[in-house]
Amino acid sequence: MYYNKVEICGVNTSKLKVLSGEEKTRLLKLAKAGDENARKELIDGNLRLVLSIIQRFTNRRENLDDLFQVGCIGLIKAIDNFNTELDVKFSTYAVPMIIGEVRRYLRDNNSIRVSRSIRDLAYRALQAREKLQAKSNSEPTVREIAEALGEKEEAVSAAIEAIVEPMSLYDPVYSDGGDSIYVMDQISDTGNTDEAWLEDIALREALKTLPERERSIISMRFFKGKTQMEIASEIGISQAQVSRLEKGALERIRKQM
């Protein structure tokens, strides 16, 4: 219902300005030098970016106006902290900053309430992890974090897990420009067996019409419960190719049946 909404927080989204790369570079340098007008123009010129990002969170039934405002906070932080001397596109820096701000908002306003003590322990654990990581240049274990805090390992582990935002099976984890791989593609399907699938004669006949490689992928994926990554490694192609072949095979099976 949100996608058709024209006005957000008093802003007409159909008339949002889009800045060119050259304009962004010029305005970022001016804003870094303290030009408030350039900073404001940068904010206005990137509101469409904020809008495009927050729409991926609308399935949570959050108020779009609230998400938009939170996303704008992330955008402002990105503008104020962006290093114009680095050879990095502003959007490359701003997108994770905006997403992070929205995720923090959703985490703190989650309907599943986490007690203050557990949340405080989790935040202290995250701070300790950053310090240990910077010191050793490697990811610390939960035990190391717990020892640094003087807390029990089980308590630290539970606290960190308590504030992790649930992930949707339809969250994309990789895209090669056209074919996205989602979380559900990384999960083995152990619920479907040969017996359950082959009870349906129509399905058996549909499988016979597939090319050998696609039939092999479907067999490994759904009969043997292998992940796309495992299949890709076994037959020597990329996971994106496995995903593309699997989707094509399933579509042909549906049409055949």
Side-chain angles (χ1 to χ4, degrees), residues 39-165:
R39 182 172 179 267
K40 183 181 184 304
E41 191 172 347
L42 267 173
I43 295 171
D44 293 341
N46 283 280
L47 292 180
R48 189 176 293 277
L49 175 64
V50 175
L51 180 64
S52 67
I53 291 173
I54 65 171
Q55 285 183 342
R56 64 178 290 186
F57 296 97
T58 54
N59 62 339
R60 300 171 184 274
R61 299 188 181 280
E62 293 285 341
N63 184 283
L64 191 62
D65 287 347
D66 292 342
L67 291 181
F68 187 73
Q69 291 182 51
V70 172
C72 287
I73 293 174
L75 171 63
I76 292 171
K77 288 182 177 180
I79 291 172
D80 291 344
N81 292 283
F82 183 70
N83 188 343
T84 56
E85 296 179 359
L86 298 178
D87 187 21
V88 177
K89 286 185 178 180
F90 174 70
S91 59
T92 303
Y93 179 79
V95 168
M97 185 77 78
I98 296 169
I99 291 176
E101 200 68 32
V102 174
R103 286 191 182 279
R104 274 190 292 275
Y105 167 79
L106 293 173
R107 179 190 64 205
D108 293 341
N109 290 275
N110 199 314
S111 58
I112 302 174
R113 297 297 177 185
V114 179
S115 71
R116 174 61 66 86
S117 60
I118 293 178
R119 192 162 61 245
D120 288 346
L121 175 56
Y123 292 153
R124 287 197 294 120
L126 294 177
Q127 291 174 347
R129 182 174 67 181
E130 289 182 3
K131 291 180 180 178
L132 290 170
Q133 189 172 13
K135 185 177 180 180
S136 63
N137 201 27
S138 63
E139 182 71 21
T141 64
V142 176
R143 175 175 295 181
E144 290 171 336
I145 295 173
E147 290 176 353
L149 295 173
E151 300 282 353
K152 292 183 178 180
E153 182 179 349
E154 296 79 6
V156 172
S157 178
I160 293 175
E161 290 180 2
I163 65 169
V164 173
E165 183 185 351

